[in-house]
Amino acid sequence: MQDAVATAALDQLLEHGLPGLTIRGVAQAAGVAETTVYRRWPSTNHLAAAALLKLADDDNPLPDTGSLENDLRELLEQVVALLSRREVMRVVRGAAAMDDDDPTVAAAKDAFFSRRFANSTLIVKRAIARGELPAGTDAFRLIETLVAPAYLRAILVDRPLDDELVDTCVRFAIAGARAEPGTVNPPQP
């Protein structure tokens, strides 16, 4: 039931954005009673949070090309491809607009990005093992440095999500990681 509701919420977000997300519509699409939805997800923000977690769980496959540069390029190309889809941008913009004062919503937003980043840090760990990066490289920071410009352009800046962006981000992320390694542990909230 939880998966059906999360899937229905994600489908509504992808199609209509946060303004079009309704508990009634999600309940109908999931084949459950509205009261069932309200018990677990008392607001549309809670449903949007569940949809974000579903989106994170349905992540793209992690690249494993045998090369740090190629792995990072493929990863960022996946992010750019997702951010280039109008329906995904509705979800991302909706997530950015969600009220962080609600602890459930803040936790879901954090979980969405933590899951996406945590899975991707394996690329960095493999690169350390191959000797492409120094031991102690902060994997979370490297991935954050790689993808942040794409999210910035997609959400706030009217600049293209193109090959030049991908090339620049990959170069800068690798150069930054090689210049100043930190710890391998992501920051704790």
Side-chain angles (χ1 to χ4, degrees), residues 55-161:
L55 184 62
D57 288 342
D58 294 345
D59 202 6
N60 290 308
L62 190 64
D64 187 6
T65 65
S67 155
L68 173 64
E69 182 177 347
N70 290 334
D71 284 353
L72 292 179
R73 183 173 314 286
E74 283 190 24
L75 177 66
L76 187 52
E77 286 171 349
Q78 289 175 357
V79 169
V80 165
L82 280 173
L83 293 176
S84 296
R85 293 173 44 199
R86 275 182 56 177
E87 69 275 13
V88 171
M89 277 311 302
R90 278 192 208 110
V91 174
V92 171
R93 285 187 179 119
M98 287 168 50
D99 183 5
D100 284 342
D101 291 338
D102 182 328
T104 303
V105 172
K109 285 169 68 171
D110 182 58
F112 170 74
F113 286 104
S114 291
R115 283 185 195 180
R116 294 186 61 84
F117 283 118
N119 292 339
S120 301
T121 59
L122 181 57
I123 291 171
V124 177
K125 292 174 185 171
R126 290 190 305 237
I128 292 169
R130 289 190 303 262
E132 293 178 280
L133 290 172
T137 297
D138 186 331
F140 192 89
R141 184 172 294 145
L142 189 152
I143 298 300
E144 186 177 53
T145 301
L146 177 74
V147 302
Y151 280 95
L152 174 73
R153 283 188 180 190
I155 296 171
L156 298 174
V157 181
D158 186 22
R159 296 195 55 206
L161 295 169

Side-chain angles (χ1 to χ4, degrees), residues 9 13 18 21-23 38 41-50 98 105:
L13 273 177
L18 190 58
L21 181 66
T22 65
I23 291 178
Y38 274 112
W41 301 276
S43 71
T44 55
N45 275 347
H46 290 88
L47 280 175
M98 287 168 50
V105 172

